[in-house]
């Protein structure tokens, strides 16, 4: 029954998605344009620096009108928020991939694998993280670190709880 409910939900989602595409034939073009603007901005932030990159420069490099930018983003700070979200998602996905690679191993080994994958992800995004630091005040940086820490707290606590159960770790509270 659970599988059939999941199958029905999936089928409904696919049908809804197909209906949405028929209702909005330009949706794919808009997604592509948004992705293009994000990529151009990312490349310019990396090569020119965040402060030196204006919305005008982004649209010029993308070959679109200035107004087009504002159809997708309120300002260049919104692009930065989106890029931070992408990086955080990659960190989490990397941790999950690492900790899931060897499911039969004890939690301590899976923790090492997960942290190793995060390290690789941090290394991949090192230059973009420098841009984030350049573009962010001390207060904003602290808030972002707290948000990132909170995002990692659940999967990490889950793995530590598994480690307590399998004898890899000793702790009174996995969330600590």
């Amino acid at each position: 029954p659970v599988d059939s409910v999941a199958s029905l939900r999936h089928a409904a989602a696919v049908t809804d998605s197909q209906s949405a595409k028929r209702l909005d034939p330009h949706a794919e073009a808009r997604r592509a344009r948004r992705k293009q603007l994000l990529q151009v901005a990312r490349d310019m932030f990396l090569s020119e620096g965040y402060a030196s990159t204006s919305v005008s420069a982004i649209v010029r490099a993308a070959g679109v009108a200035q107004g087009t930018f504002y159809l997708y983003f309120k300002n260049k700070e919104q692009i930065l928020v989106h890029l931070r979200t992408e990086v955080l998602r990659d960190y989490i996905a990397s941790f999950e991939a690492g900790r899931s690679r060897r499911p039969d191993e004890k939690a301590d080994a899976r923790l090492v694998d997960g942290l190793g994958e995060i390290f690789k992800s941090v290394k991949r995004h090192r230059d973009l993280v420098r841009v984030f630091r350049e573009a962010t005040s001390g207060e904003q940086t602290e808030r972002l670190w707290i948000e990132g820490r909170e995002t990692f707290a659940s999967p990490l606590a889950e793995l530590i709880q598994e480690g307590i159960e399998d004898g890899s770790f000793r702790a009174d509270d996995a969330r600590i």
Side-chain angles (χ1 to χ4, degrees):
V2 174
D3 289 336
S4 61
V5 170
S7 296
L8 288 173
R9 285 186 183 144
H10 175 72
V14 168
T15 302
D16 289 347
S17 170
Q18 291 168 344
S19 296
K21 285 180 183 175
R22 280 192 298 269
L23 293 175
D24 187 1
H26 304 290
E28 189 60 39
R30 281 197 303 278
R31 277 191 292 278
R33 176 68 70 205
R34 184 176 194 276
K35 185 177 179 179
Q36 175 200 19
L37 288 167
L38 283 165
Q39 187 61 50
V40 168
R42 181 185 194 281
D43 292 346
M44 292 186 78
F45 293 164
L46 289 169
S47 65
E48 308 297 324
Y50 179 78
S52 298
T53 302
S54 65
V55 170
S56 296
I58 293 168
V59 298
R60 214 173 16 259
V64 300
Q66 185 108 5
T68 301
F69 178 90
Y70 295 106
L71 292 173
Y72 298 94
F73 303 102
K74 188 165 69 170
N75 50 39
K76 78 175 185 176
E77 290 80 18
Q78 193 176 24
I79 289 180
L80 201 64
V81 168
H82 179 81
L83 294 173
R84 280 189 188 113
T85 301
E86 282 182 356
V87 169
L88 184 57
R89 282 185 185 143
D90 188 53
Y91 288 172
I92 293 168
S94 296
F95 177 75
E96 290 295 336
R99 83 176 195 143
S100 301
R101 184 179 316 124
R102 301 182 297 159
D104 296 336
E105 288 290 325
K106 290 184 110 182
D108 57 349
R110 291 184 295 125
L111 177 62
V112 169
D113 291 345
L115 293 175
E117 291 303 314
I118 285 178
F119 177 76
K120 291 175 189 173
S121 180
V122 168
K123 197 172 178 181
R124 279 192 306 272
H125 297 294
R126 178 181 46 222
D127 294 336
L128 193 54
V129 170
R130 285 187 187 127
V131 169
F132 298 157
R133 274 189 256 136
E134 169 200 340
T136 308
S137 70
E139 184 179 304
Q140 289 171 315
T141 300
E142 183 177 347
R143 185 177 44 78
L144 291 167
W145 277 109
I146 290 169
E147 288 173 14
R149 184 180 67 210
E150 293 301 316
T151 301
F152 275 113
S154 292
L156 193 54
E158 181 182 303
L159 185 57
I160 291 171
Q161 183 60 48
E162 290 173 25
I164 292 169
E165 292 168 8
D166 76 14
S168 297
F169 307 121
R170 286 184 293 169
D172 295 330
D173 181 354
R175 297 216 37 103
I176 292 174

Short mmCIF file of all heavy atoms in Angstrom, two decimals, residues 6-19:
data_model
loop_
_atom_site.label_atom_id
_atom_site.label_comp_id
_atom_site.label_asym_id
_atom_site.label_seq_id
_atom_site.Cartn_x
_atom_site.Cartn_y
_atom_site.Cartn_z
N ALA A 6 2.91 6.05 -2.84
CA ALA A 6 4.05 6.81 -3.36
C ALA A 6 3.99 6.88 -4.88
O ALA A 6 4.27 7.92 -5.47
CB ALA A 6 5.36 6.17 -2.90
N SER A 7 3.62 5.77 -5.52
CA SER A 7 3.51 5.75 -6.98
C SER A 7 2.44 6.72 -7.46
O SER A 7 2.62 7.42 -8.46
CB SER A 7 3.17 4.34 -7.47
OG SER A 7 4.22 3.47 -7.17
N LEU A 8 1.31 6.75 -6.75
CA LEU A 8 0.24 7.67 -7.13
C LEU A 8 0.69 9.12 -6.97
O LEU A 8 0.41 9.96 -7.82
CB LEU A 8 -1.00 7.42 -6.27
CG LEU A 8 -1.77 6.13 -6.57
CD1 LEU A 8 -2.87 5.91 -5.55
CD2 LEU A 8 -2.35 6.19 -7.98
N ARG A 9 1.40 9.40 -5.87
CA ARG A 9 1.89 10.77 -5.68
C ARG A 9 2.86 11.16 -6.78
O ARG A 9 2.81 12.26 -7.29
CB ARG A 9 2.56 10.90 -4.32
CG ARG A 9 1.59 10.94 -3.18
CD ARG A 9 2.31 11.21 -1.88
NE ARG A 9 1.35 11.17 -0.80
CZ ARG A 9 1.61 10.71 0.40
NH1 ARG A 9 2.81 10.25 0.69
NH2 ARG A 9 0.69 10.71 1.33
N HIS A 10 3.74 10.22 -7.13
CA HIS A 10 4.71 10.49 -8.20
C HIS A 10 3.99 10.74 -9.52
O HIS A 10 4.30 11.69 -10.24
CB HIS A 10 5.70 9.34 -8.33
CG HIS A 10 6.65 9.51 -9.48
ND1 HIS A 10 7.66 10.45 -9.46
CD2 HIS A 10 6.72 8.90 -10.69
CE1 HIS A 10 8.32 10.40 -10.60
NE2 HIS A 10 7.77 9.47 -11.36
N ALA A 11 3.03 9.89 -9.83
CA ALA A 11 2.28 10.05 -11.08
C ALA A 11 1.54 11.38 -11.10
O ALA A 11 1.52 12.07 -12.12
CB ALA A 11 1.29 8.89 -11.24
N ALA A 12 0.96 11.77 -9.96
CA ALA A 12 0.26 13.06 -9.89
C ALA A 12 1.23 14.21 -10.09
O ALA A 12 0.93 15.17 -10.78
CB ALA A 12 -0.46 13.19 -8.55
N ALA A 13 2.41 14.10 -9.49
CA ALA A 13 3.41 15.16 -9.63
C ALA A 13 3.87 15.28 -11.07
O ALA A 13 4.02 16.38 -11.59
CB ALA A 13 4.60 14.88 -8.71
N VAL A 14 4.09 14.14 -11.72
CA VAL A 14 4.51 14.16 -13.13
C VAL A 14 3.42 14.77 -13.98
O VAL A 14 3.68 15.61 -14.83
CB VAL A 14 4.88 12.73 -13.61
CG1 VAL A 14 5.04 12.70 -15.12
CG2 VAL A 14 6.14 12.25 -12.92
N THR A 15 2.17 14.36 -13.73
CA THR A 15 1.05 14.89 -14.50
C THR A 15 0.93 16.39 -14.28
O THR A 15 0.75 17.16 -15.22
CB THR A 15 -0.26 14.18 -14.09
OG1 THR A 15 -0.09 12.78 -14.32
CG2 THR A 15 -1.43 14.68 -14.90
N ASP A 16 1.04 16.83 -12.99
CA ASP A 16 0.98 18.26 -12.70
C ASP A 16 2.11 19.00 -13.41
O ASP A 16 1.93 20.08 -13.94
CB ASP A 16 1.07 18.52 -11.19
CG ASP A 16 -0.19 18.08 -10.46
OD1 ASP A 16 -1.20 17.82 -11.13
OD2 ASP A 16 -0.14 17.99 -9.22
N SER A 17 3.30 18.41 -13.41
CA SER A 17 4.45 19.02 -14.05
C SER A 17 4.22 19.15 -15.56
O SER A 17 4.51 20.17 -16.16
CB SER A 17 5.70 18.18 -13.77
OG SER A 17 6.77 18.60 -14.55
N GLN A 18 3.68 18.09 -16.16
CA GLN A 18 3.40 18.12 -17.59
C GLN A 18 2.32 19.14 -17.91
O GLN A 18 2.41 19.87 -18.90
CB GLN A 18 2.99 16.73 -18.08
CG GLN A 18 4.14 15.74 -18.05
CD GLN A 18 3.69 14.30 -18.25
OE1 GLN A 18 2.51 13.98 -18.12
NE2 GLN A 18 4.65 13.44 -18.54
N SER A 19 1.31 19.23 -17.05
CA SER A 19 0.25 20.22 -17.24
C SER A 19 0.82 21.63 -17.16
O SER A 19 0.47 22.50 -17.95
CB SER A 19 -0.85 20.06 -16.19
OG SER A 19 -1.47 18.81 -16.34
#
